[in-house]
Amino acid sequence: MNSSHDPSTDLTARSGTPAVPERFEDPGLEGHRARVGDSDPKANKRAERQVVALFTLSILGAIGAVVAYALVPPGETVGSMRLSNLLLGLGLFLSLAGIGAAAVHWAKALMSDHERSEDRHPTRTSDATRVKAVEALREGVKDSSIGRRGVLKGAMVTSLALFPLGIAVPLVGNLGGDWDVSRSKRTMWKKGTKLTIDPSGRPIKAADVTIGSVFHVIPEGLEETPHPLDEKAKAVVLLVRMDPRDLKSEQGEGWSYDGIIAFSKICTHVGCPVALYEQQTHHILCPCHQSTFDAADGAKVVFGPAKRPLPQLPITVDDEGYLVAQDGFNQPIGPSFWERLT
């Protein structure tokens, strides 16, 4: 009696697991599931209106951002600046989110959703295949229904056109104006102005400053000025105290008081706040680009891209022992390129 023998059964018997066939049958693509809009014209039209509504939301968001920029500018208080930023951000969010949601809904509800597959071909296709590719692209445009949906096309183009406007207007609107660079030479500091703690505004006595301590300082009366944020951005100071014997030099004779020295917090590279002080080396560090200044040697640059020392504020004490300025800064504060523009 003849019987056929399957080698795979031996493998199954030896290993205890079913044999793996050499080839798998291609199951093919899953059958297409028709959408409601494919068979119901009303549902299709409803989806189109939804896409138009999303694009309209984007248009309103872009217009809202421009209106918010024009009518609710950031003021001198934290609350007004927060409100302005909130309205601008909300308008830009609606503008961009509307475009994204409309594009996704359009693709899922209106464009062709038939899956297609094709065998791989050599990298260089034939001319006939290229012609077919162009035809496929044209069919894709046709499937998107953009040619026969005028309202949808208009809403899409308008939203895409207005979204950059919501970004450009605030940016361009802040350009120009008074570019008087000499403003960086004028700060609130003048003879007799008390040094106060930022942000409380409490005056500082020399006796309160111990060796190694650091104070972030603003001039007295800052909050009473018409533009306190602008003035603070120029007048902030870093105050440190070291052993007077460690002082190698300062930018003006007698500008320190018993080892207490004060320098502008505005980095001379690009204007970042230099707020880090290392007690052992007496180095002041800018965290943005690692410019390093030697507080013991007139805040000279010892490392990094900054090109000039931090301006020093000359200080002394009044009759009550409070630290006061002898005068204002004798050089522009902030980035060196401001000085080159004058």
Side-chain angles (χ1 to χ4, degrees):
M1 180 176 62
N2 295 330
S3 61
S4 60
H5 176 70
D6 186 357
S8 64
T9 58
D10 296 337
L11 177 61
T12 302
R14 291 194 300 270
S15 63
T17 58
V20 179
E22 295 182 0
R23 295 179 62 84
F24 289 93
E25 182 180 354
D26 185 0
L29 295 174
E30 183 182 357
H32 176 255
R33 298 179 181 179
R35 301 169 298 190
V36 176
D38 295 336
S39 57
D40 186 353
K42 292 184 178 180
N44 187 274
K45 194 65 178 178
R46 184 168 57 250
E48 180 181 348
R49 288 195 297 268
Q50 291 169 348
V51 175
V52 171
L54 289 170
F55 278 129
T56 303
L57 179 65
S58 172
I59 295 170
L60 295 176
I63 295 174
V66 175
V67 172
Y69 172 76
L71 300 183
V72 192
E76 296 299 330
T77 64
V78 175
S80 64
M81 183 170 292
R82 183 184 295 116
L83 177 62
S84 177
N85 289 340
L86 174 63
L87 295 178
L88 274 176
L90 182 61
L92 293 176
F93 165 75
L94 292 176
S95 180
L96 186 57
I99 293 175
V104 171
H105 191 44
W106 187 353
K108 288 184 172 293
L110 298 177
M111 291 185 177
S112 174
D113 66 339
H114 289 269
E115 293 188 28
R116 295 179 174 87
S117 64
E118 60 180 15
D119 295 334
R120 292 187 177 181
H121 298 285
T123 304
R124 174 61 171 87
T125 57
S126 64
D127 293 338
T129 303
R130 294 188 174 192
V131 171
K132 290 182 179 180
V134 173
E135 292 178 355
L137 291 175
R138 290 173 179 170
E139 289 180 4
V141 174
K142 184 178 179 181
D143 284 338
S144 69
S145 305
I146 192 172
R148 58 184 176 85
R149 300 180 190 268
V151 176
L152 190 151
K153 179 169 61 177
M156 178 192 69
V157 172
T158 305
S159 64
L160 291 175
L162 289 182
F163 169 69
L165 188 64
I167 297 178
V169 168
L171 294 179
V172 175
N174 286 327
L175 297 178
D178 183 7
W179 282 82
D180 180 12
V181 183
S182 63
R183 289 182 302 169
S184 64
K185 298 180 180 179
R186 302 190 300 269
T187 68
M188 281 190 61
W189 294 111
K190 59 184 180 180
K191 185 176 181 179
T193 302
K194 286 185 178 180
L195 280 67
T196 64
I197 296 176
D198 182 19
S200 67
R202 180 174 64 85
I204 307 171
K205 285 190 173 183
D208 298 333
V209 187
T210 58
I211 292 179
S213 60
V214 179
F215 287 79
H216 299 275
V217 174
I218 53 177
E220 185 181 38
L222 178 66
E223 293 299 327
E224 300 173 2
T225 61
H227 306 286
L229 293 180
D230 290 345
E231 293 298 337
K232 181 177 181 179
K234 298 186 296 181
V236 286
V237 162
L238 191 71
L239 181 80
V240 299
R241 186 170 194 167
M242 62 181 69
D243 190 324
R245 293 172 296 181
D246 293 334
L247 278 175
K248 303 175 184 176
S249 68
E250 48 188 321
Q251 297 175 21
E253 186 177 355
W255 280 13
S256 64
Y257 177 81
D258 196 22
I260 304 175
I261 48 179
F263 296 101
S264 169
K265 277 183 61 176
I266 310 303
C267 182
T268 55
H269 177 218
V270 293
C272 294
V274 286
L276 304 177
Y277 175 68
E278 208 289 311
Q279 181 179 356
Q280 301 301 320
T281 61
H282 308 304
H283 286 173
I284 301 173
L285 174 67
C286 175
C288 291
H289 306 98
Q290 286 71 56
S291 292
T292 307
F293 308 86
D294 189 355
D297 195 11
K300 293 180 180 178
V301 181
V302 295
F303 181 80
K307 299 301 182 183
R308 63 186 180 93
L310 297 172
Q312 183 174 358
L313 180 70
I315 59 173
T316 185
V317 294
D318 61 11
D319 296 338
E320 298 178 334
Y322 288 103
L323 290 170
V324 297
Q326 297 184 38
D327 203 346
F329 295 108
N330 72 334
Q331 57 180 303
I333 56 93
S336 299
F337 64 83
W338 285 358
E339 192 176 30
R340 291 198 296 268
L341 290 173
T342 55

